[in-house]
């Protein structure tokens, strides 16, 4: 009899934690992801703002599991589940269909941007949910400055105006990092241009930034952003987005060639393809033991799952929820194999943080410990280094941060346009004849 | 009276050397390049084979000249010259036309791949002349292994066969680095696949690898390549290229889904757009003083120029020729401004090197000093570190090399597909309305 097959959909924090928790068990684990790497999402905004290399925040999945022989990897997208046959249907980048049988299934497919059907938002907005997104935003931001340098008349039309929608941690972090990129680096790169004409507008629908944080943290974030020249607009919402302007619900028109969309998230639409029950934000309904009702041996974890919290609400879409629920689902599988009863999942809240810039951050830790300014910033740096996968990545990020801090310089402000390369040209000419 | 305007087309070794040699002069320098960064071409093959990060071998042009106030930068492509008006016509990535007046012009536009009209070679081959090329090849190579893992039947069809065309330094270096990537890293990443079925074939038209090197160096290169399992085919030429096979002139058909094209180079086709006289390989004819005949105040340097050597032939397309001729052209401009007579350019040959892999390289230095094996490899490492632009890049490359050497690991083996990102989606929707 061969070992029970565990399939994990998604190589994010949840999927990796689940696979690692199955180390040494007599199971045959396959991780499926559309990318061949894990992406450290909390630092994507630093790639987008030229602070870190793309490779610093990504680590190949096969590399992570080189020393865990019960884990295999498949680069593919899940397209459907056959619950009777207990198989997943997947499609590779080349268009091949690969069928994966499973005895136990962990759905850890994460989240994606939600545009609330705002006209033009998806078409013209830049989300920050993948490494490719981050590189695209970096290219776009830097190219706006090159365009302004080549054709200064464009500045009046908003080529240097950047609208960030969403006052949560991602929006706050992107806005702060853009301001520091402009002030610290691009003023020196574009000596003959008045970089101070660049404008960053942060738009938040509710009356406060960083909704779940305490009032002092919210105020600290706002004052630090404003100190960096960012226009913070609360109680305002976007009505529509066009390539060169953003229209607010108030009727105000902001000329801007860049819209960063950090306003809403929804579960990976895979949930619909799997034919399972979903709830708010498209998240998969699960019990307190993370099982998907009516789908024996199937679990959902992390952002894609609607995990009930103690207060009756759902747990937030945060990395620690993903990791902890991943380990719990792995534990459930071990208990099921051993014939032991299941246990409910309890989330241990480790707190949340957001960074605005150099020596400016807010952190809200358990036991009512609230930090701001330099202590919060150092805590943020340390924790992010600690959780980065791979010693080489940690070293590289650490050196980049030390370098930037000491020199006020940034490294990889490159506009790398893949469209001109070979792969783009052969978009319509796949290399494999066996479709 | 404003300072004389110097326009330098190209931010390669030649263009940078020329601009740097004009530091402190009362001239107004503008560097034009289609990319916003300088690319360290000799290390592109390490990006293509997952040895280095893309950002390690590229450095933003504006960053290089932050402390040289007489240099400005324009990201654009040169489309024509008006020799009477003494202006260059350029086009930006956004499609704007920018006209650049010049008093002195240095054409340093470099070289590009030449496919000798071999059917399918340009369409299906992977060249290595830009950072985008290197990333595309890296994505493609890694994606072949993922495809083989998902669908092992593809291996019989050649999905793991890699043909490298051209036995010069680039071909030798790519073939050697691919072999080490497969043997050192991918055998561990793809534990359940027989990576040893991967095949690397190096095809060279002439009877020897590394044509201009001495016979012992040629033999050393060949035996080191063969020791790494590479099939070296001399005296063979490619007749045609298809997506999944390469046809040789002998009639032999090699099933292969990857063709690396390192066989021929030609001058940047810009030479034709400038309406100047060209010679072999499309290179711009210049005098011994690097002036373009009949085009007062215009110079051509580096790969794009047909620079006469002492022996009556043309100087080779090498980085030291570009740097030295760049400095000479800058000197000519200084002499012209000062009303002093021009001097002929003399190339000082510093030797050539090629590396095959770990502790395997050949170096031919002046005074008949020939090195091979570990000493040549160390010389190669040291010199390349020395000439990399930017301390941060040097540090990052050095650490990457030390890490790889000690751990037999490689870092950035990421398949980053930009096609799914925002920028790709808006390919047809430019952000600026002022076309």
């Amino acid at each position: 009899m061969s070992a029970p097959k565990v399939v994990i959909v998604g190589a994010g924090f949840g999927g990796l934690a689940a696979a690692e928790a199955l180390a040494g068990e007599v199971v045959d684990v396959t991780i499926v992801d559309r990318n061949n790497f894990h992406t450290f999402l909390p630092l994507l905004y630093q790639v987008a703002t030229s602070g870190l290399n793309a490779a610093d925040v990504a680590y190949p999945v096969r590399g992570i599991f080189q020393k865990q022989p019960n884990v295999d990897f498949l680069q593919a997208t899940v397209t459907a589940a056959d619950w009777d046959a207990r198989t997943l249907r997947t499609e590779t980048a080349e268009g091949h269909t690969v069928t994966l049988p499973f005895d136990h299934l962990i759905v850890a497919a994460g989240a994606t941007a939600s545009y609330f059907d705002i006209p033009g938002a998806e078409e013209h907005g830049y989300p920050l949910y993948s490494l490719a997104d981050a590189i695209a935003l970096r290219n776009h931001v830097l190219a706006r400055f090159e365009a302004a340098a080549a054709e200064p008349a464009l500045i009046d039309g908003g080529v240097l105006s950047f609208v960030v929608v969403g006052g949560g941690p991602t929006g706050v972090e992107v806005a702060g990092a853009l301001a520091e990129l402009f002030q610290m680096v691009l003023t020196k790169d574009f000596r003959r241009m008045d970089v101070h004409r660049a404008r960053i507008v942060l738009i938040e629908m509710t009356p406060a930034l960083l909704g779940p944080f305490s009032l002092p943290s919210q105020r600290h974030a706002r004052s630090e952003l404003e100190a960096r020249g960012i226009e913070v607009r609360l109680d305002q919402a976007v009505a529509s987005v066009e390539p060169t302007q953003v229209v607010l619900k108030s009727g105000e028109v902001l000329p801007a060639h860049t819209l960063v969309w950090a306003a809403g998230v929804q579960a990976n639409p895979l949930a619909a393809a799997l034919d399972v029950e979903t709830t708010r934000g498209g998240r998969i309904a699960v019990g307190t033991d993370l099982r998907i009702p009516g789908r024996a041996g199937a679990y959902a974890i992390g952002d894609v799952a609607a995990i009930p919290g103690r207060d009756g609400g759902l747990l937030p879409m945060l990395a620690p929820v993903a990791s902890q629920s991943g380990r719990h689902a792995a534990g459930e599988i071990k208990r099921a194999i051993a014939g032991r009863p299941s246990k409910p999942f309890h989330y241990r809240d480790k707190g949340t943080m957001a960074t605005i810039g150099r020596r400016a951050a807010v952190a809200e830790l358990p036991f009512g410990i609230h930090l701001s300014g330099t202590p919060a910033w150092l805590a943020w740096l340390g924790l992010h280094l600690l959780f980065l996968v791979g010693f080489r990545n940690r070293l590289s990020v650490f050196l980049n941060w030390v370098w930037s801090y000491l020199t006020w310089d940034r490294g990889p402000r490159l506009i790398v346009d893949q469209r001109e390369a070979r792969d783009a040209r052969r978009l319509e000419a796949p290399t494999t004849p066996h479709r």
Side-chain angles (χ1 to χ4, degrees), chain A:
Chain A
M1 203 185 92
S2 64
K5 292 186 197 310
V6 179
V7 170
I8 298 173
V9 180
F13 291 112
L16 294 191
E20 282 163 0
L22 291 166
E25 301 293 320
V26 186
V27 290
D28 195 355
V29 179
T30 302
I31 300 175
V32 194
D33 198 288
R34 65 193 302 205
N35 289 314
N36 78 329
F37 51 86
H38 164 73
T39 308
F40 193 78
L41 298 178
L43 290 179
L44 275 188
Y45 80 94
Q46 295 211 2
V47 174
T49 52
S50 299
L52 292 174
N53 292 326
D56 289 336
V57 304
Y59 203 89
V61 178
R62 293 182 185 277
I64 297 168
F65 294 100
Q66 269 190 1
K67 287 176 182 154
Q68 191 178 325
N70 68 352
V71 175
D72 200 8
F73 175 71
L74 174 69
Q75 188 183 6
T77 306
V78 174
T79 53
D82 183 332
W83 294 103
D84 295 324
R86 299 189 74 69
T87 58
L88 283 188
R89 190 186 156 95
T90 72
E91 190 177 300
T92 70
E94 315 279 305
H96 293 276
T97 297
V98 176
T99 301
L100 275 184
F102 63 84
D103 298 301
H104 308 271
L105 175 68
I106 298 178
V107 182
T112 183
S114 167
Y115 298 95
F116 309 119
D117 292 324
I118 294 170
E122 180 166 10
E123 197 184 345
H124 305 299
Y126 283 81
L128 259 181
Y129 274 90
S130 72
L131 194 58
D133 286 345
I135 296 169
L137 180 56
R138 183 191 69 196
N139 286 344
H140 180 77
V141 168
L142 296 173
R144 285 330 88 196
F145 279 83
E146 291 295 347
E151 190 69 40
L154 291 174
I155 301 178
D156 293 329
V159 74
L160 293 187
S161 295
F162 301 83
V163 172
V164 179
V165 182
T170 302
V172 165
E173 290 178 330
V174 173
L178 282 176
E180 291 201 340
L181 172 67
F182 298 174
Q183 288 157 18
M184 288 163 58
V185 184
L186 299 189
T187 44
K188 288 183 276 176
D189 274 357
F190 293 84
R191 284 183 310 248
R192 302 186 188 186
M193 197 166 81
D194 188 2
V195 172
H196 295 98
R197 292 187 63 194
R199 198 178 160 195
I200 303 168
V201 183
L202 177 61
I203 294 178
E204 165 58 35
M205 209 166 58
T206 73
L209 296 177
L210 299 178
F213 286 69
S214 66
L215 203 58
S217 292
Q218 293 175 350
R219 284 191 186 136
H220 180 79
R222 182 172 182 171
S223 71
E224 287 289 345
L225 287 169
E226 288 178 339
R228 285 164 173 76
I230 294 158
E231 302 170 40
V232 177
R233 305 279 201 95
L234 303 177
D235 273 322
Q236 301 206 13
V238 173
S240 69
V241 183
E242 290 162 42
T244 59
Q245 62 183 33
V246 178
V247 181
L248 302 185
K249 288 227 169 102
S250 65
E252 189 182 354
V253 175
L254 299 171
H257 293 211
T258 308
L259 177 91
V260 181
W261 191 260
V265 323
Q266 61 184 1
N268 189 315
L270 169 71
L274 288 181
D275 184 25
V276 293
E277 190 193 334
T278 56
T279 171
R280 267 182 290 161
R283 293 159 87 178
I284 298 173
V286 293
T288 52
D289 55 1
L290 306 178
R291 284 180 162 77
I292 302 175
R295 304 298 186 197
Y299 307 80
I301 62 170
D303 290 358
V304 81
I307 307 176
R310 280 165 204 258
D311 59 0
L314 301 180
L315 291 180
M317 290 171 156
L318 291 174
V321 175
S323 305
Q324 292 180 31
S325 60
R327 280 190 289 274
H328 187 86
E332 287 297 302
I333 290 172
K334 288 189 256 184
R335 284 187 284 275
I337 291 171
R340 283 182 282 133
S342 78
K343 290 182 181 172
F345 170 58
H346 296 298
Y347 171 55
R348 276 156 298 131
D349 186 357
K350 302 278 184 66
T352 49
M353 334 179 119
T355 191
I356 296 104
R358 177 179 283 246
R359 292 203 300 269
V362 292
E364 309 214 324
L365 308 177
F367 311 113
I369 300 170
H370 291 189
L371 304 177
S372 67
T374 304
W377 183 69
L378 289 173
W380 182 94
L381 291 175
L383 272 176
H384 282 76
L385 274 180
L386 196 66
F387 284 110
L388 258 184
V389 174
F391 176 72
R392 198 217 293 250
N393 291 37
R394 257 175 239 151
L395 182 66
S396 177
V397 168
F398 177 71
L399 290 174
N400 262 292
W401 284 347
V402 169
W403 178 268
S404 298
Y405 188 79
L406 296 178
T407 64
W408 297 82
D409 185 26
R410 297 214 181 180
R413 45 194 192 282
L414 312 174
I415 305 170
V416 186
D417 192 341
Q418 276 307 117
R419 280 175 270 168
E420 65 187 52
R422 152 105 332 303
D423 264 1
R425 275 187 279 146
R426 73 158 123 207
L427 245 175
E428 302 307 322
T431 54
T432 51
H434 315 274
R435 287 243 160 183

